[in-house]
């Protein structure tokens, strides 16, 4: 007998046909019967091969997942030629190029961890390495480098794994790291391209060239204004449609001269560059998830065929980019086929949303409260289901309180100079106050108010001499102090020395002279409000 192959996945979405049969052919000398074996058709909602698995749930039906794969090699600076031991060693990162004469820095957990004055935010978004770059630089004071250098621009570059095609839209997603508000102000991150990898690096021998387009053979592809908090990473993106094929890229600060009064520094990680469709080819609802005309869709692209699936089982006949209707709860996916290969979207999990609400209502004794078909007059918890305007079920859990004369004990905290209001009374001093109120409902209530000051203490002096006693200056407080969001310390000329939650008496790693320093503390207390407190502290040795 001759053996004929019996396994073949039928994704070709033009092939919505009955399952095929593969036959063990009978020879002239054989008396064995014909044996038919069924093969899984991946788009007919049937278990054709009898293995208990249907369509996408069957391992015979495999398509590649649609997800972005970066055209920039080594997008997270993980592949190394060497471990960086100091600044300006981007060359240690496989495939990356020091694009400009002012050099970027490779920061990696295997070696150099960055400048002490510009610590990278931790943890890194992806892996063990990031790239650091400047936009403008203060002079070192050495001959030829005395003053500010606003045209000092540091860029990293790479030759792409394959060129960006003219007329197609691409997206580069990346994480940008910030030191603090002063050293990393908002920045227009700018993306440049060139038609030939030999144009990397650019501006050779010219530290003041600035951005690539100040030279030749480079174009600006796109830019985005990005801002972030102290020690934070921000994930963002730039979308571009080049008008020529792009073979190599550079990324970094904008072309405008830096106006910052200090050296500024930022960090890149996880630079993913790919065709926009690989970011956006995701299943999306066409309207509100409770609407009667709800359906789902993906971007419509020419030259492709589509097949929709629910929980991995084909929705037979649904072969448009737009699903005709909702088929209920579950995970929706689309397989697209270009005639040569297939790809499958990530699953969109659809659940009919249920809106929960927990209203609390107070009425006076003898009154009633309508709730659905009920008229309530007793305190308690009640539940009913209503239909919302958008068509979703809305489950209301009502907490009803019927007031006789209510007595309540209330504790509150204030700072000196603040006041606490109860009804029409405004109280500014600690103490215990019995207060009778008449609500707008007409119910009388008695409040016993215990008012006191917040327990927050600012030391008047500290001695950062390393003896382990009173070495740092900070705010002390009880459980009412939730957070010291910022502690700014200034010298007598108004220069900011520190904005960390505690101060060690140093500036930029150098100890400061004894004397009086001014501080401004931003405190978040138990009431959720932020207070701004100012004072002075004596630094001792």
């Amino acid at each position: 007998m001759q053996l004929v192959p019996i396994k073949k996945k039928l994704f070709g979405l033009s092939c919505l046909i009955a399952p095929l049969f593969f036959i063990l052919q009978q020879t002239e000398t054989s008396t064995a019967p014909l044996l038919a074996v069924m093969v899984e058709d991946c788009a007919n909602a049937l278990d054709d091969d009898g293995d208990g698995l249907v369509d996408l749930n069957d391992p015979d039906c495999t398509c590649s997942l649609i997800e972005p794969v970066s055209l920039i090699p080594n997008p997270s600076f993980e592949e190394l030629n060497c471990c960086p031991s100091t600044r300006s060693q981007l060359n240690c990162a496989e495939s990356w190029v020091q694009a400009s004469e002012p050099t970027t820095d490779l920061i990696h957990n295997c070696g150099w961890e960055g400048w002490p004055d510009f610590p990278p935010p931790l943890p890194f978004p992806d892996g063990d390495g990031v790239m650091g770059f400047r936009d403008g630089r203060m002079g070192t004071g050495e001959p030829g480098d005395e003053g500010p250098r606003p045209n000092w621009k540091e860029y990293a570059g790479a030759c792409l794994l394959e060129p960006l095609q003219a007329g197609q839209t691409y997206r580069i997603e990346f994480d940008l790291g910030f030191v603090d508000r002063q050293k990393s102000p908002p920045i227009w991150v700018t993306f440049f391209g060139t038609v030939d990898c030999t144009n990397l690096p650019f501006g050779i021998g010219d530290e003041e060239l600035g951005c690539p387009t100040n030279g030749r053979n480079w174009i600006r592809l796109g830019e985005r204004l990005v801002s972030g908090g102290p020690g934070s990473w921000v994930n963002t993106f730039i979308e571009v449609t080049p008008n020529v094929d792009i073979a190599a890229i550079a990324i970094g600060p904008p072309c405008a001269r830096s106006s910052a009064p200090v050296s500024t520094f930022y960090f890149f990680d996880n630079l993913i560059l790919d065709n926009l469709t690989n970011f956006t080819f995701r299943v999306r609802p066409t309207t509100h998830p409770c609407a009667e005309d709800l359906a789902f869709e993906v971007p419509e692209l020419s030259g492709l065929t589509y097949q929709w699936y629910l929980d991995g089982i084909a929705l037979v006949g649904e072969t448009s980019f737009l699903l005709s209707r909702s088929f209920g709860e579950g995970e929706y996916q689309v397989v697209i086929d270009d005639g040569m290969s297939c790809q499958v979207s990530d699953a969109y999990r659809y659940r009919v949303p249920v809106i929960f609400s927990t209203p609390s209502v107070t009425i006076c004794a003898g009154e009633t409260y309508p709730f659905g078909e009920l008229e309530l007059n007793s305190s308690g918890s009640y539940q009913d289901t209503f239909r919302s305007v958008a068509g979703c079920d809305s489950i209301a859990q009502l907490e009803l309180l019927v007031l006789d004369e209510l007595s309540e004990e209330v504790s509150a905290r204030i700072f000196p100079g603040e006041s606490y209001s109860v009804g029409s009374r405004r109280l500014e001093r600690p103490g215990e106050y019995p207060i009778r109120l008449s609500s707008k409902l007409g119910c009388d209530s008695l409040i016993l108010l215990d008012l006191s000051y917040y327990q927050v203490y600012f030391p008047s002096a500290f001695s950062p001499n390393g003896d382990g006693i009173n070495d740092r200056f900070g705010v002390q407080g009880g459980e009412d102090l939730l957070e010291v969001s910022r502690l700014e310390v200034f010298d007598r000329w108004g220069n900011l020395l520190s904005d960390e939650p505690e101060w060690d008496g140093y500036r930029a790693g150098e100890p400061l002279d004894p004397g009086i320093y001014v501080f401004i503390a931003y405190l978040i207390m138990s009431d959720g409000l932020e207070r701004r407190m100012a004072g002075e502290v004596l630094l001792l040795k």
Side-chain angles (χ1 to χ4, degrees), residues 1 13 27 59 137 149 166 208 228 262 294 314 321 343 349 353 397 406 444 455 460 468 481 500 505 512 515 533:
M1 291 187 296
L13 301 181
T27 67
R137 184 184 125 189
R149 305 182 69 176
E208 298 299 325
V262 298
L294 171 68
F321 74 97
Q343 291 181 289
R349 185 179 183 184
Q397 180 76 38
L406 178 68
D444 288 337
Q455 298 299 308
S460 59
L481 176 59
E500 301 296 327
L512 294 173
M533 313 291 288

Side-chain angles (χ1 to χ4, degrees), residues 278-343:
N278 291 331
F279 290 95
T280 60
F281 198 90
R282 299 184 177 109
V283 176
R284 302 182 187 277
T286 58
T287 185
H288 191 282
C290 293
E292 293 183 357
D293 59 347
L294 171 68
F296 301 93
E297 65 180 353
V298 291
E300 182 180 18
L301 303 175
S302 62
L304 300 179
T305 55
Y306 301 80
Q307 175 62 56
W308 284 87
Y309 294 79
L310 177 60
D311 294 331
I313 299 175
L315 298 171
V316 178
E318 296 291 340
T319 57
S320 168
F321 74 97
L322 175 64
L323 194 63
S324 64
R325 63 181 177 87
S326 169
F327 288 80
E329 295 185 335
E331 294 189 348
Y332 287 84
Q333 288 177 281
V334 178
V335 168
I336 63 171
D337 196 307
D338 61 4
M340 300 180 62
S341 62
C342 64
Q343 291 181 289

Side-chain angles (χ1 to χ4, degrees), residues 200-509:
L200 274 174
F202 57 83
I204 298 174
D206 185 1
E207 291 183 341
E208 298 299 325
L209 174 70
C211 71
T213 53
N214 289 339
R216 296 183 301 169
N217 304 318
W218 285 85
I219 60 175
R220 185 174 64 180
L221 297 175
E223 60 186 1
R224 178 172 289 271
L225 179 63
V226 189
S227 61
S232 68
W233 287 96
V234 174
N235 182 261
T236 187
F237 66 90
I238 300 172
E239 290 182 1
V240 301
T241 306
N243 54 18
V244 294
D245 292 354
I246 299 297
I249 57 91
I251 191 167
C255 292
R257 291 163 61 90
S258 172
S259 59
V262 298
S263 294
T264 58
F265 205 89
Y266 307 85
F267 307 90
F268 276 130
D269 195 12
N270 202 26
L271 296 102
I272 306 298
L273 172 63
D274 202 357
N275 195 290
L276 179 62
T277 58
N278 291 331
F279 290 95
T280 60
F281 198 90
R282 299 184 177 109
V283 176
R284 302 182 187 277
T286 58
T287 185
H288 191 282
C290 293
E292 293 183 357
D293 59 347
L294 171 68
F296 301 93
E297 65 180 353
V298 291
E300 182 180 18
L301 303 175
S302 62
L304 300 179
T305 55
Y306 301 80
Q307 175 62 56
W308 284 87
Y309 294 79
L310 177 60
D311 294 331
I313 299 175
L315 298 171
V316 178
E318 296 291 340
T319 57
S320 168
F321 74 97
L322 175 64
L323 194 63
S324 64
R325 63 181 177 87
S326 169
F327 288 80
E329 295 185 335
E331 294 189 348
Y332 287 84
Q333 288 177 281
V334 178
V335 168
I336 63 171
D337 196 307
D338 61 4
M340 300 180 62
S341 62
C342 64
Q343 291 181 289
V344 61
S345 70
D346 199 8
Y348 177 87
R349 185 179 183 184
Y350 170 61
R351 296 289 182 267
V352 178
V354 177
I355 302 172
F356 291 90
S357 61
T358 56
S360 297
V361 177
T362 302
I363 62 176
C364 296
E367 296 181 343
T368 60
Y369 181 78
F371 187 63
E373 298 179 353
L374 303 176
E375 293 288 335
L376 305 176
N377 58 12
S378 301
S379 297
S381 298
Y382 302 88
Q383 181 174 296
D384 204 347
T385 301
F386 305 89
R387 180 69 64 180
S388 71
V389 174
C392 298
D393 283 342
S394 177
I395 299 177
Q397 180 76 38
L398 172 68
E399 296 294 332
L400 181 65
L401 176 62
V402 180
L403 291 179
D404 292 319
E405 181 173 289
L406 178 68
S407 294
E408 183 179 3
E409 295 183 359
V410 176
S411 295
R413 303 287 183 270
I414 59 174
F415 279 105
E418 294 183 337
S419 63
Y420 186 83
S421 296
V422 181
S424 61
R425 298 188 62 178
R426 183 177 178 181
L427 305 170
E428 299 178 350
R429 295 180 178 278
E432 295 182 353
Y433 301 89
I435 303 172
R436 183 170 294 277
L437 301 175
S438 182
S439 72
K440 62 181 181 180
L441 301 175
C443 308
D444 288 337
S445 60
L446 179 64
I447 292 180
L448 301 176
L449 173 64
D450 180 10
L451 185 63
S452 60
Y453 285 142
Y454 282 117
Q455 298 299 308
V456 175
Y457 172 67
F458 297 92
S460 59
F462 75 116
S463 55
N465 53 16
D467 63 357
I469 302 174
N470 202 24
D471 281 333
R472 304 179 70 87
F473 170 65
V475 185
Q476 301 174 18
E479 61 183 14
D480 291 329
L481 176 59
L482 299 184
E483 180 184 354
V484 180
S485 58
R486 195 161 72 255
L487 177 62
E488 297 177 341
V489 182
F490 303 86
D491 61 20
R492 60 181 177 176
W493 296 281
N495 296 313
L496 179 65
L497 306 177
S498 172
D499 60 358
E500 301 296 327
E502 290 187 333
W503 183 41
D504 59 2
Y506 284 67
R507 180 187 186 187

